[in-house]
């Protein structure tokens, strides 16, 4: 009988620890439910109990850090100041890096909704500045007595876009983002992720030289394997973040054996969420925080 009781207690403790340490991230706030990368979306994600807010950042003409997945106005959901939809033909010409933030803020990001996410609520909103987004969320957390969350900030960077839709160098892009983060958040609550390994390499060097305080680094990949990614990066990231359909038990174990956590993206199906937990991932990123809660 004692063994049975102790086993039950041990199992309960293990499950409790796993529940506390599993990192559930709201993708672009909660894109499936609210306009992506907007303050209402992040507040909704907080209400749903995410442990991390995942978001993307780009840079405006006047060097402001803007919360946006694309460095342009996406025709799927953006509207011009006169209320007319941004068309597919003109979206790339509305380059955020050539627009001041005052110009960017006049474009709506939520009234049209998003046909790819029919559950998404339609409301008037806009692309916020990173500093305003953090301030709004931190205030919301305090007012509603919520647990502090982490911020998983993706620097949207591509080598072929250097100097076109983003700063010419990763140093300039990174410095702008780092200065905004460190003003408002302790480094232990920050994850910095990117598909552009030049960005991650730069941040790692800044940690070593003590120019940046250490934050968690996450290597975003789509189809690349574990070993090729680490070899290309040149160091072990804190987190390996692949497209979830590319993950296997073996890849998760390979990362864990090296002390690297695994947090796949973007897991929206409930069965897929269960599968990811079963193969041992340390967290997941989803457009639908409500589905994970259920």
């Amino acid at each position: 009988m004692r063994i049975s009781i102790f086993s039950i207690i041990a199992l309960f403790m293990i499950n409790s620890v796993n529940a506390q340490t599993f990192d559930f991230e709201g993708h672009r706030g909660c894109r499936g439910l609210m306009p992506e990368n907007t303050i209402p979306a992040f507040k909704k994600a907080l209400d749903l109990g995410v442990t991390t807010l995942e978001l993307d950042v780009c840079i405006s003409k006047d060097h402001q850090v803007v919360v946006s997945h694309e460095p342009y106005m996406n025709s799927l959901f953006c509207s011009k100041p006169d209320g007319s939809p941004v068309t597919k033909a003109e979206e790339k010409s509305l380059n955020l890096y050539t627009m001041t933030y005052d110009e960017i803020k006049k474009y709506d990001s939520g009234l049209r909704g998003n046909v790819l996410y029919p559950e998404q609520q339609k409301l008037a909103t806009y692309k916020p500045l990173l500093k305003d987004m953090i301030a709004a969320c931190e205030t919301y957390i305090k007012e509603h007595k919520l647990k502090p969350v982490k911020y998983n900030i993706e620097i949207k960077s591509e080598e072929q876009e250097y100097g076109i839709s983003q700063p010419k160098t990763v140093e300039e892009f990174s410095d702008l983002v780092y200065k905004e983060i460190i003003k408002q958040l302790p480094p232990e609550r920050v994850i910095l992720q990117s598909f552009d390994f030049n960005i991650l390499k730069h941040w790692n060097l800044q940690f070593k030289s003590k120019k940046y305080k250490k934050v968690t680094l996450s290597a975003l990949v789509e189809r690349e394997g574990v070993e090729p990614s680490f070899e290309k990066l040149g160091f072990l990231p804190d987190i390996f973040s692949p497209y979830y359909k590319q993950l296997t038990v073996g890849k998760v174990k390979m990362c864990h054996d090296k002390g690297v956590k695994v947090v796949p993206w973007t897991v929206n199906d409930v069965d897929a969420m269960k599968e990811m937990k079963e193969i041992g991932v340390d967290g997941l990123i989803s457009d639908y925080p409500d589905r994970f809660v259920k």
Side-chain angles (χ1 to χ4, degrees):
M1 179 62 72
R2 285 184 179 178
I3 294 176
S4 177
I5 291 173
F6 289 145
S7 297
I8 292 171
I9 292 173
L11 183 61
F12 174 78
M13 291 177 67
I14 290 170
N15 287 335
S16 296
V17 170
N18 287 340
Q20 292 170 4
T21 58
F22 192 83
D23 186 19
F24 182 52
E25 305 191 14
H27 188 233
R28 307 185 197 179
C30 51
R31 177 172 57 168
L33 307 173
M34 301 290 283
E36 67 173 66
N37 277 323
T38 64
I39 289 174
F42 295 118
K43 288 182 177 179
K44 178 68 174 180
L46 290 171
D47 287 338
L48 291 170
V50 301
T51 52
T52 298
L53 296 171
E54 193 271 354
L55 60 140
D56 312 273
V57 292
C58 299
I59 304 297
S60 66
K61 181 180 180 179
D62 48 346
H63 300 124
Q64 299 288 316
V65 184
V66 184
V67 180
S68 177
H69 183 262
E70 293 83 19
Y72 55 85
M73 294 295 174
N74 192 319
S75 60
L76 275 174
F77 53 82
C78 288
S79 300
K80 289 180 276 191
D82 64 4
S84 62
V86 171
T87 66
K88 186 68 177 177
E90 66 186 345
E91 64 178 7
K92 294 288 181 69
S93 67
L94 297 171
N95 180 349
L96 303 190
Y97 193 53
T98 65
M99 302 168 69
T100 65
Y101 182 65
D102 283 345
E103 293 172 322
I104 292 169
K105 192 175 179 179
K106 292 176 182 177
Y107 285 72
D108 181 84
S109 294
L111 273 177
R112 291 169 55 202
N114 187 327
V115 294
L116 300 180
Y117 300 92
E119 294 178 43
Q120 188 183 103
Q121 183 179 335
K122 296 178 181 180
L123 63 125
T125 187
Y126 56 88
K127 297 179 185 293
L129 290 175
L130 176 62
K131 61 183 178 183
D132 293 341
M133 173 266 176
I134 294 173
C137 290
E138 291 298 290
T139 298
Y140 194 80
I141 288 169
K142 290 178 182 177
E143 288 177 347
H144 293 79
K145 295 180 172 59
L146 302 173
K147 291 182 179 179
V149 297
K150 292 184 178 181
Y151 293 78
N152 186 1
I153 301 166
E154 178 182 347
I155 289 184
K156 300 302 296 184
S157 175
E158 298 180 58
E159 285 191 54
Q160 63 268 30
E161 289 296 314
Y162 292 178
I164 300 173
S165 64
Q166 64 184 76
K168 290 182 180 180
T169 67
V170 297
E171 291 83 2
E172 182 184 357
F173 201 157
S174 298
D175 284 349
L176 288 169
V177 175
Y178 177 77
K179 287 175 184 176
E180 291 298 342
I181 292 171
I182 215 67
K183 285 177 186 175
Q184 294 172 281
L185 295 169
E188 60 270 18
R189 288 178 58 200
V190 176
I191 302 168
L192 191 287
Q193 65 176 1
S194 188
F195 283 100
D196 185 351
F197 282 11
N198 291 328
I199 292 284
L200 300 181
K201 290 176 182 178
H202 175 72
W203 281 66
N204 189 52
L205 287 174
Q206 300 317 295
F207 299 156
K208 289 181 178 179
S209 66
K210 307 297 183 182
K211 291 181 180 178
Y212 288 4
K213 293 180 180 179
K214 176 72 174 73
V215 303
T216 299
L217 287 186
S218 178
L220 282 169
V221 301
E222 189 163 357
R223 298 183 181 278
E224 296 83 351
V226 175
E227 290 290 358
S229 296
F230 293 170
E231 184 176 343
K232 179 182 176 183
L233 192 56
F235 67 94
L236 291 177
D238 301 294
I239 298 170
F240 181 65
S241 190
Y243 180 44
Y244 80 97
K245 289 187 178 181
Q246 301 300 317
L247 263 186
T248 63
V249 174
K251 288 181 180 179
V252 173
K253 185 179 185 303
M254 192 180 300
C255 288
H256 286 172
D257 287 346
K258 295 178 181 294
V260 177
K261 292 184 177 180
V262 181
V263 181
W265 56 272
T266 302
V267 193
N268 290 336
D269 179 76
V270 173
D271 288 337
M273 291 178 182
K274 292 177 180 178
E275 181 185 347
M276 288 298 101
K277 290 203 74 176
E278 286 171 1
I279 67 173
V281 300
D282 302 281
L284 57 82
I285 301 169
S286 178
D287 290 316
Y288 297 94
D290 58 324
R291 295 180 184 177
F292 181 80
V293 173
K294 290 176 184 176

